[in-house]
Amino acid sequence: MPRRALITGVTGQDGSYLAEFLIAKGYEVHGLRRRSSTFGTGRIEHLIFGDPPQLQLHYGDLSDGNGLVRLIREVRPHEVYNLAAQSHVRVSFDQPAYTADVTAVGTLRLLEAIRDVQDDTGEQIRFYQASSSEMYGKVVETPQKETTPFHPRSPYGVAKVYGHWITVNYRESYGLHASCGILFNHESPRRGETFVTRKITRAAGRIKLGLQEKLHLGNLDAQRDWGFAGDYVEAMWLMLQQDTPDDYVIATNELWSVRDFCEKTFSRLGLDWQEHVEIDPRYFRPAEVDLLLGDATKARTVVGWQPRTSFDQLVDMMVEGDLELARREALIRTALEPSLKAA
């Protein structure tokens, strides 16, 4: 029998890459998705509409503890990956209560469901919690590692700290095989368009084809450790293959600014970013995180993980993907022009 995995947040960037990774490993993969008036499954349609489908979806929500218990009893997963969250830092300032309920207390509900089912069946369920570099916030040392104190600077960061420590608490209190991956920024062509890296590459492609003139951004001086999401999901899996659960920083140990990302993106399209980027105060955070740089030595030495994709390769794949999207948009616009003029 294949191993079974349950992924919350399966429709997101990380969830889609992790589902592909586990399917390639021979897993039976189940995903949790929220009920919505729209499908929202664009990243995983190739997995759910195959013949036979490779990914089984279940409706549910981290706000519904009883529903989580029922789902885990039904699926009986060997591994649970908790990737679901309200994960946009800026939005967390506008929706702090919702962010706390889903990102923080949702993790607790899931842990309780796992503990409940595991106590009944006696079968071990291994748990992965998606912790975040945003927990470090106002950093007290650089680079940041597993022992670096947390000082979150957003409701999202605070919620992630709760999710992290409640996972550690359940590991220590109930003996759950529960590990936390403290992932630093990880991007891809599947990144949501409201996140800064994808916002940059999407706008640059549209500007190149004359579909847009300006890109409005906030703090260009913010520095981050950026990796490729497809590399980082392997680290999640490796953590759950260890005999002893633990917490690991996952990062590239390279530092780049938002300004660097802009420059590299626009230069690949033969554009001068300074001619197209404008600063908009609306995009500044109430409390800024200036620098995040991770030390993944522990992950490299203990679980054998290291990033395979360089920063330049990451920018290239994102620019290529969004330039293709812009080309399709331009073709559609050209095709519609005669009917729009007639109207």
Side-chain angles (χ1 to χ4, degrees):
M1 289 289 292
R3 288 186 67 79
R4 290 182 299 279
L6 172 65
I7 304 171
T8 73
V10 71
T11 59
Q13 169 190 253
D14 292 7
S16 66
Y17 281 113
L18 179 60
E20 289 175 345
F21 179 87
L22 294 176
I23 289 167
K25 290 282 184 185
Y27 278 65
E28 177 185 310
V29 181
H30 298 256
L32 180 69
R33 62 170 300 195
R34 289 175 298 162
R35 181 69 180 91
S36 172
S37 59
T38 58
F39 288 109
T41 56
R43 298 180 179 96
I44 55 173
E45 284 184 352
H46 61 296
L47 301 177
I48 59 178
F49 294 126
D51 187 18
Q54 296 175 287
L55 171 64
Q56 300 180 50
L57 292 182
H58 305 264
Y59 286 114
D61 199 295
L62 291 188
S63 65
D64 178 10
N66 291 332
L68 293 173
V69 173
R70 288 194 299 270
L71 177 61
I72 291 174
R73 288 190 189 281
E74 175 188 345
V75 174
R76 297 185 66 178
H78 301 98
E79 299 171 5
V80 174
Y81 296 85
N82 184 30
L83 310 185
Q86 189 304 98
S87 60
H88 197 286
V89 175
R90 184 62 189 83
V91 170
S92 76
F93 285 99
D94 300 323
Q95 296 186 302
Y98 174 74
T99 300
D101 184 55
V102 174
T103 307
V105 184
T107 303
L108 172 61
R109 295 188 187 103
L110 188 54
L111 285 164
E112 270 291 283
I114 290 170
R115 185 167 75 94
D116 187 359
V117 174
Q118 188 169 281
D119 286 348
D120 283 351
T121 64
E123 299 174 356
Q124 185 187 68
I125 301 173
R126 299 191 172 196
F127 177 75
Y128 170 82
Q129 167 62 12
S131 294
S132 169
S133 59
E134 287 288 332
M135 300 188 306
Y136 295 117
K138 190 175 181 180
V139 300
V140 299
E141 65 177 354
T142 298
Q144 294 88 54
K145 47 187 181 290
E146 292 80 7
T147 56
T148 302
F150 300 138
H151 187 152
R153 300 268 282 172
S154 67
Y156 169 75
V158 172
K160 278 295 185 181
V161 169
Y162 179 90
H164 178 89
W165 281 121
I166 200 65
T167 301
V168 172
N169 181 261
Y170 270 57
R171 180 172 73 212
E172 296 176 351
S173 300
Y174 305 114
L176 294 189
H177 193 294
S179 297
C180 299
I182 307 174
L183 271 59
F184 280 64
N185 292 65
H186 46 290
E187 319 297 323
S188 76
R190 300 180 190 177
R191 190 54 141 155
E193 292 184 20
T194 60
F195 290 83
V196 66
T197 52
R198 185 74 197 288
K199 185 177 178 180
I200 292 168
T201 58
R202 185 78 174 98
R206 298 186 82 250
I207 290 169
K208 177 66 177 179
L209 297 186
L211 301 173
Q212 181 174 333
E213 292 185 3
K214 296 292 182 180
L215 166 62
H216 296 90
L217 296 173
N219 182 12
L220 299 183
D221 295 321
Q223 295 176 293
R224 294 292 185 269
D225 183 326
W226 274 301
F228 172 48
D231 292 342
Y232 283 33
V233 298
E234 180 186 19
M236 302 175 188
W237 175 78
L238 284 168
M239 291 178 208
L240 297 199
Q241 310 317 303
Q242 307 306 306
D243 292 334
T244 303
D246 207 344
D247 309 319
Y248 299 90
V249 164
I250 304 300
T252 69
N253 199 31
E254 291 186 7
L255 197 62
W256 303 91
S257 69
V258 175
R259 181 179 282 100
D260 293 329
F261 202 100
C262 284
E263 184 175 0
K264 285 181 176 291
T265 295
F266 279 83
S267 67
R268 277 159 173 74
L269 297 172
L271 301 170
D272 182 351
W273 71 274
Q274 296 181 84
E275 295 179 1
H276 302 283
V277 175
E278 294 184 353
I279 305 301
D280 189 331
R282 292 179 299 170
Y283 297 113
F284 283 90
R285 302 180 185 180
E288 185 58 77
V289 174
D290 297 317
L291 181 154
L292 293 172
L293 176 66
D295 180 355
T297 299
K298 181 179 177 182
R300 185 172 63 249
T301 56
V302 176
V303 307
W305 178 86
Q306 59 184 7
R308 296 188 177 93
T309 307
S310 71
F311 181 72
D312 283 345
Q313 289 171 326
L314 173 63
V315 174
D316 284 344
M317 75 168 73
M318 293 182 69
V319 169
E320 182 179 342
D322 278 326
L323 184 59
E324 179 59 28
L325 275 182
R327 289 192 182 108
R328 294 178 195 171
E329 186 179 352
L331 286 173
I332 292 171
R333 181 174 293 191
T334 300
L336 291 175
E337 275 182 358
S339 58
L340 290 175
K341 288 178 179 178

